[in-house]
Every structure is written in C-alpha cells, then in structure tokens.
Amino acid sequence: MAAAPPRVPPIEPGDWTDETRAALEKWQPPLNFHKTMAHNPRTLANWIGFGQAILWDNLLSRRERELAILRVAAQIRCDYEWGAHKRFTLAEGLASEAEVARLASPIDPAEWSPFEAALIAATDDLLRDGGIGDTAWAGLAERFTPAHYIDLIYLVGEFVMVGMMMKSFRIELDEGFERLPG
C-alpha cells in the first residue's frame, strides 16, 4: 500500500531562515523530519537541545535507548521513526535484525534477557498506562537508579511526541528507511 502524501512539504535548505540553519548545522545532510520542522524555526531550535539531551546525554546505554525507541515506534505505528532508528541500530551493531523485528511484535520475555524484557515492558507500560508498572519497575531496579527511570520516561515521552509529529505531517521516509512490518 502506498503511503499517503505529506500534508506539508519539507522546506529545503536553500529556503531556511538563519535560525533554522543555525539549529540544523550539525544535522547534515538534514532529514525530511528536520526539513519539515523548519516550518517552525523557534520550536525547532528549542527542540534540538532537548532532543539531543534525551537521546545522547542519557544514562541508558545506546542499546537500551534504541530498544525503547524502536518499541515506541512499533507501538504507535510510526514508520518514519521506525525506519530511522532501525537503520541506526543495525548500522551501529546495537541489535540484530531478528531482535529489531521482534520489537514490532508481541513480546515474548523468554526471547530477551530479564533486564531487557523489563525495559520493553516498562516502555509498553508507559505507552499504555502513562506510568511504569510494578513488575517492570522491579525488573529494572537491580540496575536502575532514580535517574535512570527519569531518563527512560523522558526518552519514551520524547519519541512519542516526535512520532506524533511525524505521523500527523505524514513525513515522507528518507532514502534507506524501511516501513514497519505488517
């Protein structure tokens, strides 16, 4: 099935404001997501710092972050977020193709380490209930400090917010991004 066309076309770099250009100087080449965010340079500039902190200055390991992000993308059915983070996860060797594929399906805890099963369950809890349930909390407690829980909650929230924007604007997948299975 063909994807619906974008609701708003991305703004190409030649048409960016100085504020947009400054905000995206580190994102080269810019993705369709960034070029669409260029419609609101003020929000883009403010979001860049927040998004960077949530993604990179986070107590979760890179693998843990990507497992949670991919699970968010799968659960909210965001092809763009899935495609971007699947490509990154595989390119960085953070998970196998089979592990990534399992994140788009109902989770069998036996296929994950107990800690990673709890991480995925916590992500699902946040998406479903708006909070981490007791079972997932306990499964993370051996390795998580209160600061880790905060970083996980903000990570999930950030990628739900970004996914909502991507889906609402129907941002076209960049080259090399794959849609969610099914």
Side-chain angles (χ1 to χ4, degrees), residues 1-179:
M1 179 171 95
R7 285 186 166 140
V8 176
I11 298 176
E12 295 302 324
D15 296 323
W16 288 354
T17 65
D18 290 341
E19 187 177 14
T20 300
R21 199 173 283 76
L24 293 177
E25 67 186 343
K26 293 181 183 176
W27 288 96
Q28 299 300 321
L31 300 173
N32 285 335
F33 169 69
H34 302 116
K35 294 188 287 188
T36 302
M37 287 281 296
H39 284 279
N40 189 332
R42 181 185 43 80
T43 298
L44 171 64
N46 289 321
W47 169 80
I48 286 283
F50 176 73
Q52 290 294 316
I54 294 299
L55 185 58
W56 299 110
D57 189 17
N58 186 305
L59 293 173
L60 279 63
S61 73
R62 289 172 63 204
R63 176 179 167 86
E64 292 162 359
R65 289 191 302 261
E66 290 302 318
L67 294 179
I69 292 165
L70 285 164
R71 186 62 175 176
V72 167
Q75 292 291 72
I76 68 170
R77 304 299 302 162
C78 182
D79 286 325
Y80 192 97
E81 196 163 69
W82 176 264
H85 285 274
K86 177 181 180 182
R87 184 175 77 174
F88 174 79
T89 297
L90 295 175
E92 295 294 312
L94 300 174
S96 70
E97 182 82 41
E99 289 172 319
V100 169
R102 287 199 311 259
L103 290 165
S105 303
I107 296 300
D108 177 356
E111 295 179 330
W112 300 92
S113 72
F115 178 81
E116 288 179 344
L119 178 73
I120 296 163
T123 302
D124 288 350
D125 289 350
L126 288 164
L127 293 167
R128 182 185 57 251
D129 303 325
I132 300 172
D134 291 340
T135 302
W137 187 280
L140 297 172
E142 188 173 305
R143 290 179 40 193
F144 267 23
T145 66
H148 286 85
Y149 289 104
I150 291 168
D151 278 356
L152 175 61
I153 293 163
Y154 273 80
L155 179 80
V156 170
E158 155 71 355
F159 280 89
V160 168
M161 178 179 65
V162 168
M164 289 166 56
M165 189 268 182
M166 291 169 171
K167 288 179 67 170
S168 294
F169 278 75
R170 297 182 188 147
I171 297 174
E172 185 176 1
L173 298 182
D174 285 279
E175 188 174 329
F177 289 14
E178 295 177 26
R179 296 192 180 288

